[in-house]
Amino acid sequence: MPPQTGSAEKDTQPVSAFLQLFTWEEIKIHNGHGQGQKQWLVIDRKVYDVSKFSRQHPGGSRVISHYAGQDATDAFVAFHNDKSLVKKYLKSLLIGELAPDQPSFESNKKKSLLEDFRELRCTVEKMGLLRPNYTFFFLIFLHIMVLDAASCDPFVFQIQMGWFQHDLGHCSVFRKPKWNRLLQIVVISVLKGLPASWWNHLHNQHHAKPNCFRKDPDLNMHPLLFSLGKTLSVEVIRCSLWVLLAVGAV
């Protein structure tokens, strides 16, 4: 379904029978802020209540909570390979859908940008760029083992291993996620001594909300490297100064 425009150009959308209809004003207030606040999100115009499910979400509660009160269609597509399986679990969370006069996404999002992104993703998929190349990754793994055995260049070894586990964390090496997770544990936990779950928890949030202040953990670790744009940079610096002043006062 192509994305819809904002309030100035609202196209009438077909609705399913017996589903409650919601407006974006109703959805936005269910953003999880405040004690006991509900968490609603939208996927393909369907509205889901993930308030309780977020704590059981396999990808972590923060990743799904970051989209509370928002449209999560593109994130849902990007993070789930077997969408037919995931949609079975979504059925119990469905509470309604967007009213026919409502756009398919929030008014602060640009239609042209969403259309370009979705067109790019379709092109990448048709070109087969998301299909794993087993020969390439086998040679990378072999290269890492040779470097480790030879101990000739620890820096190159660490860099190669870091990027290899990065691809495993993205489930880009094997088609089935469980094999990616298993080998990632070997590479980052056994060989490097870091918890794979910790890395996945932070990196999934980074890709769910890249460069979003208070949602992207990379901004907390490297605020000066990852903060782009005038508004975000000023906000990050202001927050950092506040923390420094608070620590100095103590």
Side-chain angles (χ1 to χ4, degrees), residues 186-237:
V186 173
V187 174
I188 191 175
S189 300
V190 177
L191 298 180
K192 206 168 184 179
L194 295 173
S197 58
W198 165 81
W199 187 90
N200 290 330
H201 174 67
L202 296 179
H203 202 64
N204 284 341
Q205 292 182 71
H206 162 67
H207 279 285
K209 287 291 183 179
N211 234 34
C212 291
F213 189 51
R214 302 186 189 280
K215 292 186 177 182
D216 183 354
D218 283 0
L219 289 176
N220 298 330
M221 292 188 292
H222 308 289
L224 298 180
L225 290 178
F226 290 97
S227 59
L228 302 175
K230 182 179 179 180
T231 303
L232 179 59
S233 300
V234 170
E235 190 173 2
V236 169
I237 293 174

Side-chain angles (χ1 to χ4, degrees), residues 1-6 24 71-75 103-122:
M1 178 185 296
Q4 304 300 309
T5 59
W24 275 111
D71 175 62
T73 302
D74 292 298
S104 295
F105 49 84
E106 306 92 307
S107 59
N108 62 338
K109 291 183 178 179
K110 294 183 179 180
K111 177 184 177 182
S112 58
L113 185 62
L114 281 173
E115 288 180 336
D116 288 346
F117 171 77
R118 292 171 182 176
E119 182 181 356
L120 175 62
R121 181 177 180 85
C122 289

Side-chain angles (χ1 to χ4, degrees), residues 20 49 74-75 78 131 148:
Q20 186 174 352
D49 185 348
D74 292 298
R131 289 196 293 267
D148 185 33

Side-chain angles (χ1 to χ4, degrees), residues 76 80-91:
F76 174 81
H80 302 94
N81 290 329
D82 191 349
K83 297 170 186 59
S84 59
L85 174 64
V86 179
K87 286 182 178 179
K88 293 180 181 179
Y89 293 92
L90 284 177
K91 290 181 179 179

